[in-house]
Amino acid sequence: MSSSLRLEKITPDNVEAACRLRIRPDQEGLVAPVAWSLAEAYAQPEIAWPRLVYDGEKLVGFVMAFLMVRFDPDDPDDRFRSGLWRLNIAADHQGRGYGRFAVESVCEEIRRRGQSRATVTWVPGERGPERFYLRLGFRPTGEKSGGEVVGELDPPGA
């Protein structure tokens, strides 16, 4: 992994490249395409934090956080959560630490905003990203959200 990793906001100059970013074909039902994520971010700007992942000048991925969301707004005991909403690393750039960098960057943003825990959901199953999230320290909570496993991580420094 390069030391020139950074996150960038989506702009008119990079949105087309962002929408062309492709994951591996076997991952396509596990995470929404970037264009779909950007549409959700546009529709919900108060909770979405979308960013592109660059290594130098090369676009290698997309990450989007959600900030201060209640999973069940009808439940008065449901707490606000912040965490990882989407992670798309380009097919030919996977396995190089870009996903870890993106997740750690989301955790930094969550801490910057005063939160002490990061949440993620994932599609269960052998093709799903569960092993990746468990290696990063996320632990299943026993909850489900839209049929997906809910995991949480206390970010370092929390």
Side-chain angles (χ1 to χ4, degrees):
M1 184 169 62
S2 169
S3 63
S4 62
L5 293 178
R6 69 184 190 287
L7 296 184
E8 293 285 336
K9 289 182 179 181
I10 289 78
T11 68
D13 294 329
N14 63 24
V15 69
E16 191 174 327
C19 290
R20 285 194 309 263
L21 190 134
R22 295 288 177 261
I23 55 176
R24 293 190 332 244
D26 65 308
Q27 296 168 328
E28 287 174 6
L30 301 174
V31 65
V34 173
W36 181 267
S37 298
L38 292 177
E40 288 181 314
Y42 177 82
Q44 301 176 83
E46 68 283 356
I47 65 168
W49 190 77
R51 296 294 186 269
L52 296 177
V53 182
Y54 281 90
D55 186 352
E57 296 305 309
K58 184 178 292 196
L59 174 62
V60 298
F62 170 82
V63 65
M64 186 163 74
F66 63 87
L67 303 164
M68 300 300 289
V69 172
R70 293 174 108 187
F71 280 18
D72 185 358
D74 295 329
D75 179 356
D77 294 327
D78 191 28
R79 61 185 165 78
F80 285 100
R81 304 174 201 227
S82 296
L84 186 67
W85 192 350
R86 296 279 159 61
L87 178 61
N88 305 63
I89 301 299
D92 54 343
H93 294 293
Q94 293 184 15
R96 299 181 187 173
Y98 299 130
R100 175 181 288 276
F101 169 78
V103 172
E104 289 171 353
S105 297
V106 165
C107 289
E108 286 175 24
E109 181 64 18
I110 289 169
R111 279 194 309 277
R112 190 184 73 73
R113 293 173 181 245
Q115 298 295 298
S116 62
R117 182 175 294 139
T119 302
V120 67
T121 65
W122 63 80
V123 175
E126 82 178 53
R127 291 179 338 141
E130 182 173 62
R131 286 192 329 255
F132 171 74
Y133 291 122
L134 293 177
R135 277 194 314 269
L136 292 179
F138 286 91
R139 294 293 167 245
T141 65
E143 300 169 275
K144 295 277 186 176
S145 177
E148 295 186 5
V149 174
V150 177
E152 290 189 337
L153 170 73
D154 290 321

